[in-house]
Amino acid sequence: MTTFALQAQPADAASWLELARRAEAAGFDTLQAADHPGSCAAPYVALAAAAAVTSRITLGAYVANAGIREPLLLAADIATLDVVSGGRARAGLGAGHTPAEWLAVGRERPDVQARVDRCLAVAEAVRALLDGETVTVHTPQLDVRDARLDKPRPVQDRVPLLLGTSNARMLRWAGAHADIIGMSGLGRTLADGHQHDVRWRPDQIDAQIEHVRQGVAGRTSPPPQLEALVQVMTVTDDAESVAAPLATEFGMSVSDLLAAPYVLIGTAAEIRASIERHEKRWGITRYAVRTPAFDAVEALGLL
């Protein structure tokens, strides 16, 4: 069964609360909020407000920047959201990529290896804190001493953990430990500090899935669900003409771009067929879309 999450941001109270209600009524599985301090709303504050006007939809950051956030504060935010939502919180973490976010807290953005090291250390610490453990970590990237989350305790026995990434080591870790893997298909951060190279070719996605499978090997709990972050969704009867400029921009063939789970372009039947192919080839059963795609997802009967 395919499920959809909605990633959105509040502009004002009335429209945000109405969007949360609409998303739940339409059948979205999760309402997600991004984490880019200084350029978007604080995710857990926004999600707590959404919790107050909903009763079923799950709620989580997509994704909290583990590079500049501390495990105990993250765990407290997640546990508080779980309490005020009646057990609907999800923990969402990523390594972060925007240099300005490090500079704003007085640090230089580390290299990829150091960001990955810290993200995985933070993920392990947050998982342990939510599970009621006392955490001590001493590494070059993270220093935590006798941290414990006594109050509030989450309502759920296990708050689901989503790790957002396309990094090989993080994919293997997520295969072994995460509940959901948020596959972004995003590679190297470009000079503007915000845009990325993309890893959307089928062979690149095959390689990413292989890293997940390596992590899953030997896992005793159910494997993680795979969720693709949809960057473009367009309902059209001329998919190739819509895809062509993007394919040129990303240095891909049109056919490879249309095969990627990060775009859903075509007629209703073509989009449904794409979703079926993604599940068959890669095991992707979840999609995260942004607000502009809301009406299309609903109109196509995908919820």
Side-chain angles (χ1 to χ4, degrees), residues 230-244:
V230 177
Q231 302 288 347
V232 179
M233 184 170 188
T234 304
V235 180
T236 175
D237 58 4
D238 190 357
E240 291 193 359
S241 68
V242 174

Side-chain angles (χ1 to χ4, degrees), residues 109-273:
R109 187 186 69 166
D111 62 17
V112 172
Q113 179 175 331
R115 294 203 306 275
V116 170
D117 288 345
R118 179 178 169 92
C119 183
L120 297 184
V122 169
E124 290 172 355
V126 169
R127 173 80 280 154
L129 290 164
L130 291 172
D131 290 346
E133 301 174 20
T134 300
V135 175
T136 296
V137 180
H138 298 298
T139 73
Q141 284 73 42
L142 182 65
D143 192 15
V144 176
R145 305 180 186 185
D146 297 325
R148 186 172 179 83
L149 184 65
D150 289 321
K151 293 180 181 180
R153 295 299 308 149
V155 173
Q156 298 175 85
D157 291 335
R158 177 184 172 90
V159 176
L161 171 64
L162 179 151
L163 195 73
T165 189
S166 60
N167 174 271
R169 186 152 62 97
M170 289 179 64
L171 287 169
R172 289 192 294 271
W173 186 94
H177 302 287
D179 301 287
I180 303 169
I181 301 178
M183 298 181 62
S184 66
L186 302 179
R188 180 178 59 89
T189 306
L190 301 180
D192 68 357
H194 298 280
Q195 302 300 311
H196 300 264
D197 284 337
V198 300
R199 299 172 182 170
W200 288 6
R201 294 197 320 267
D203 63 306
Q204 293 173 315
I205 301 170
D206 287 343
Q208 293 165 33
I209 297 299
E210 179 56 31
H211 289 303
V212 173
R213 288 173 178 154
Q214 291 171 14
V216 170
R219 176 171 170 155
T220 57
S221 57
Q225 297 177 315
L226 301 183
E227 178 177 282
L229 176 61
V230 177
Q231 302 288 347
V232 179
M233 184 170 188
T234 304
V235 180
T236 175
D237 58 4
D238 190 357
E240 291 193 359
S241 68
V242 174
L246 286 171
T248 299
E249 178 183 350
F250 296 145
M252 302 171 59
S253 69
V254 170
S255 60
D256 278 355
L257 185 133
L258 289 173
Y262 310 112
V263 300
L264 295 175
I265 301 173
T267 64
E270 289 170 338
I271 289 173
R272 290 193 186 95

Side-chain angles (χ1 to χ4, degrees), residues 44 85 182:
Y44 292 105
S85 68

